Amino acid sequence: MVKKIAIFGATGGVGLHVTEIALKKDFQLKVLVRDPSRLREDLRSKVEVIQGDVTNASDVLRTVEGQDAVVVVLGTRDSLSPTTVLSEGMKNIIKAMKETGIELVSVCLSAFLFYNPERVPARFLDLNADHQRMLDCIKESGLKWIAVLPPHFTDDPSSKYTIKHGSAPGRSITKCDLATFLLESLTTPEHYNQLIGIATTA
């Protein structure tokens, strides 16, 4: 039974939706944030906030301790510069999960991972490379992982959406629907250890 969830990336565009929807579903949440002020006050007052950084192993361990599952929605804001922050953070999360006996993790990556590298737009290559490193870490983890590879995010209201294992079923997904699936997939064994495409149904 999943009652308690640790969220990494709770102040991002998708992460805020994950946090909000999880609270509506009565999950107990711990969130790791660098700057608590970036989390809306109405959410901040209802979650356990750990101030720290995903690249700090002890901060990550404090965040996952006592939880049942993990949702990873790490991002780089608007930066497309070369980075290893996402993959280094993922390594810390996996290590902490193993130390605390947590098996379930859903991870938001990118639909570009479905493409051959030569098809990925040049400006996204560096970020995509770190997403690939994240995915490699997840695949080797031995955990029950769900790798969600969404296309372009929109701020549209919730709609019907399609899930497909192994490929992208469309070109966009609403942030709220993506967040909903990241949470629901944790208790759907058919999605474990799968690369999952998601898109708003045309």
Side-chain angles (χ1 to χ4, degrees):
M1 179 73 70
V2 175
K3 294 275 192 181
K4 302 177 180 180
I5 297 176
I7 302 175
F8 294 89
T11 59
V14 177
L16 283 169
H17 283 280
V18 172
T19 304
E20 189 170 23
I21 292 166
L23 287 171
K24 287 179 181 177
K25 292 178 177 290
D26 293 325
F27 289 110
Q28 297 174 44
L29 305 182
K30 285 170 76 174
V31 303
L32 177 66
V33 295
R34 284 175 301 216
D35 180 1
S37 70
R38 294 188 67 94
L39 194 62
R40 293 196 330 249
E41 173 56 35
D42 63 309
L43 301 178
R44 193 163 67 237
S45 62
K46 297 175 184 174
V47 304
E48 183 178 347
V49 176
I50 306 295
Q51 185 169 7
D53 195 287
V54 73
T55 60
N56 183 303
S58 62
D59 292 343
V60 173
L61 182 60
R62 284 193 296 136
T63 307
V64 303
E65 281 177 330
Q67 304 307 95
D68 303 317
V70 175
V71 177
V72 181
V73 276
L74 294 172
T76 57
R77 299 293 170 194
D78 296 320
S79 174
L80 298 176
S81 301
T83 184
T84 58
V85 169
L86 306 181
S87 55
E88 290 303 317
M90 194 71 239
K91 289 176 186 176
N92 284 337
I93 293 167
I94 290 168
K95 182 174 182 287
M97 289 179 66
K98 289 183 174 182
E99 288 181 11
T100 54
I102 300 171
E103 290 188 305
L104 292 170
V105 58
S106 64
V107 185
C108 182
L109 295 167
S110 165
F112 286 136
L113 292 176
F114 284 133
Y115 300 176
N116 292 325
E118 61 269 18
R119 287 191 57 212
V120 178
R123 65 195 181 106
F124 293 112
L125 282 172
D126 290 325
L127 180 57
N128 196 60
D130 210 32
H131 280 151
Q132 182 64 59
R133 288 187 286 269
M134 288 179 76
L135 180 57
D136 292 342
C137 292
I138 298 162
K139 285 181 172 180
E140 295 167 4
S141 69
L143 301 171
K144 294 177 181 176
W145 52 265
I146 305 102
V148 185
L149 280 54
H152 174 68
F153 306 149
T154 73
D155 289 310
D156 295 337
S158 180
S159 181
K160 291 183 179 179
Y161 60 90
T162 300
I163 297 300
K164 192 170 184 181
H165 289 183
S167 64
R171 301 186 66 174
S172 67
I173 183 68
T174 71
K175 293 175 183 175
C176 52
D177 288 334
L178 174 57
T180 296
F181 181 74
L182 284 162
L183 291 165
E184 291 180 349
S185 65
L186 291 169
T187 52
T188 312
E190 69 190 69
H191 297 319
Y192 295 171
N193 304 109
Q194 297 285 342
L195 273 62
I196 299 175
I198 184 172
T200 299
T201 306

